[in-house]
Amino acid sequence: MHRNVFFISDGTGITAESFGQSLLAQFTGPEFRHVTLPYVDTVKKAAQALETIQQSQSADGTQPILFMTVLNEEVSSMMHASGAYVIDLFQAFLPGLEQEFGQHPLYRPGQKRSTHSNSSYHRRIEAVQFALDNDDGCRTRNYDKADIILLGVSRSGKTPTCIYLGLQFGIFAANYPITEEDFELTTRLPAPLKPYRRKLFGLTIHPGRLSGIRHERKPNSRYASSQQCQHEVFSVEQMYRQEKIPSINSTDYSVEEIATRIMAMTELERRLK
Amino acid sequence: MHRNVFFISDGTGITAESFGQSLLAQFTGPEFRHVTLPYVDTVKKAAQALETIQQSQSADGTQPILFMTVLNEEVSSMMHASGAYVIDLFQAFLPGLEQEFGQHPLYRPGQKRSTHSNSSYHRRIEAVQFALDNDDGCRTRNYDKADIILLGVSRSGKTPTCIYLGLQFGIFAANYPITEEDFELTTRLPAPLKPYRRKLFGLTIHPGRLSGIRHERKPNSRYASSQQCQHEVFSVEQMYRQEKIPSINSTDYSVEEIATRIMAMTELERRLK
């Protein structure tokens, strides 16, 4: 048995999606089939959305679930009349907050940006650019300007984590790939990192997972072999221990979780407040 | 007057933050000061959080607002007893869904990933890598594998948009920077793009904004001059019109909005369903 789930919004729908998925993940029973309908901000678009919702209902006879973040009142009442099981995120809390603040809500969609000033949006884009400029492949490494420097062996998740730290939190994250040569004589800290000890944070990963990821990049290479991955992960973990570098094992986490856990562990300040 | 706002979660806190900011943006009255406390998943961490919340209350005598996505029941009741104005996102809807599905919720934090299978998480990471591999600076351009190819002049937002399309939607997005040389003789489509006409999507931007962004990168350069920016933007917009390439003006939108609008305009399928 499955249930059709709609995320409807007069904005991007990202909040409805993210919240809806958190809630549905608490239920293992039905299989959920998702459709996101963003920018439903006119009666015309609402009528199209209604048609899609009602088609899905008549096609398989189960009542659709509808998560909605809609401020437009006409659109909102059309959705409430759809026959779906409606979870109306705004309506659940706006009246309470209205009373709490003694003020009418604006009921204006797409307002989220206004809580971030322009300058903090700008900061995020600058931070993504910083992550790209200071990534593996590049020679420029503005470690002085970095808020954090991620260490890790090749393919342990440094690049996406740096980008996400920039995009979500406005953090300037550089990265330093630890390669075999760094372990040739010792597992002490590579020289270029020594002046930045307090900014260092290590990523590690299960060797089997690493090997899988590397095989996709370079199938059947020495680089991807179990033995090589074990050796590199073992050495890098030894380095983190010896040098007392805080670290996280990324194997079971999504990029969002790795980044948020790093923020929590290092008490880096979110730059976007 | 200001109000202290806490986003509390036993997960990353990203949902509480994103939803809370959407709600607060509907009120212009008080100035909101945000603090996010992620991974509050033990009684000990909840006690620390409580202390922070209550300190803020006694420091400035206003009742804090608390947005929470907490599944741990002990942590949840401690927060409800904090004296803050509590918006409990899970408790508002879980009982209704429990009845709807005839099943108890798992009450297990960090479950969100499970709605995305491992393979779709993998797809997102691959898509981010694709965006990086096929960015401006690089010579490899796997346009055959791309779901979409973004066009635009330098600094019009192509790179962050490609990354976000990968990270959020699993879309393989390449980009092609339109440079002055492309306009030397004509504003027709550059030859390398011709085989991929159906995948093309244009970004444009207000020339004044573009000039501001470029001045930060290369102050007082010809590249950043108003005249140069006007010329490039005018030419690229002419190209989009002549060649019937759909396009979006990024000036007033965040990366999230640009990406979501592109998804809606092109009816690209989200790859992560």
Side-chain angles (χ1 to χ4, degrees), chain B residues 154-187:
Chain B
S154 168
R155 300 274 115 193
S156 55
K158 298 181 300 297
T159 301
T161 306
C162 284
I163 291 172
Y164 193 81
L165 283 166
L167 192 65
Q168 182 73 17
F169 303 118
I171 294 292
F172 277 36
N175 76 65
Y176 183 95
I178 305 281
T179 62
E180 233 185 326
E181 292 104 71
D182 290 315
F183 303 131
E184 242 162 41
L185 302 167
T186 164
T187 52

Side-chain angles (χ1 to χ4, degrees), chain A residues 30-67:
Chain A
E31 179 210 338
F32 299 113
R33 298 186 187 163
H34 308 154
V35 176
T36 304
L37 304 175
Y39 302 113
V40 182
D41 51 6
T42 61
V43 169
K44 195 179 156 197
K45 288 191 202 160
Q48 286 168 350
L50 267 187
E51 206 174 314
T52 311
I53 294 167
Q54 283 162 352
Q55 267 170 10
S56 91
Q57 176 149 19
S58 57
D60 49 44
T62 62
Q63 191 190 20
I65 312 285
L66 199 162
F67 289 91

Side-chain angles (χ1 to χ4, degrees), chain A residues 24-122:
Chain A
L24 295 179
Q26 297 301 319
F27 297 93
T28 52
E31 179 210 338
F32 299 113
R33 298 186 187 163
H34 308 154
V35 176
T36 304
L37 304 175
Y39 302 113
V40 182
D41 51 6
T42 61
V43 169
K44 195 179 156 197
K45 288 191 202 160
Q48 286 168 350
L50 267 187
E51 206 174 314
T52 311
I53 294 167
Q54 283 162 352
Q55 267 170 10
S56 91
Q57 176 149 19
S58 57
D60 49 44
T62 62
Q63 191 190 20
I65 312 285
L66 199 162
F67 289 91
M68 86 185 196
T69 49
V70 169
L71 286 157
N72 180 306
E73 294 182 59
E74 278 176 300
V75 172
S76 174
S77 25
M78 286 168 78
M79 294 304 139
H80 277 285
S82 65
Y85 182 91
V86 176
I87 291 189
D88 184 335
L89 281 162
F90 287 145
Q91 217 38 59
F93 301 112
L94 276 179
L97 285 175
E98 177 168 356
Q99 214 169 7
E100 179 68 20
F101 299 140
Q103 194 203 346
H104 288 302
L106 300 172
Y107 284 108
R108 208 180 295 150
Q111 283 300 103
K112 193 150 135 207
R113 274 171 310 140
S114 64
T115 60
H116 291 326
S117 63
N118 258 339
S119 73
S120 75
Y121 178 66
H122 185 74

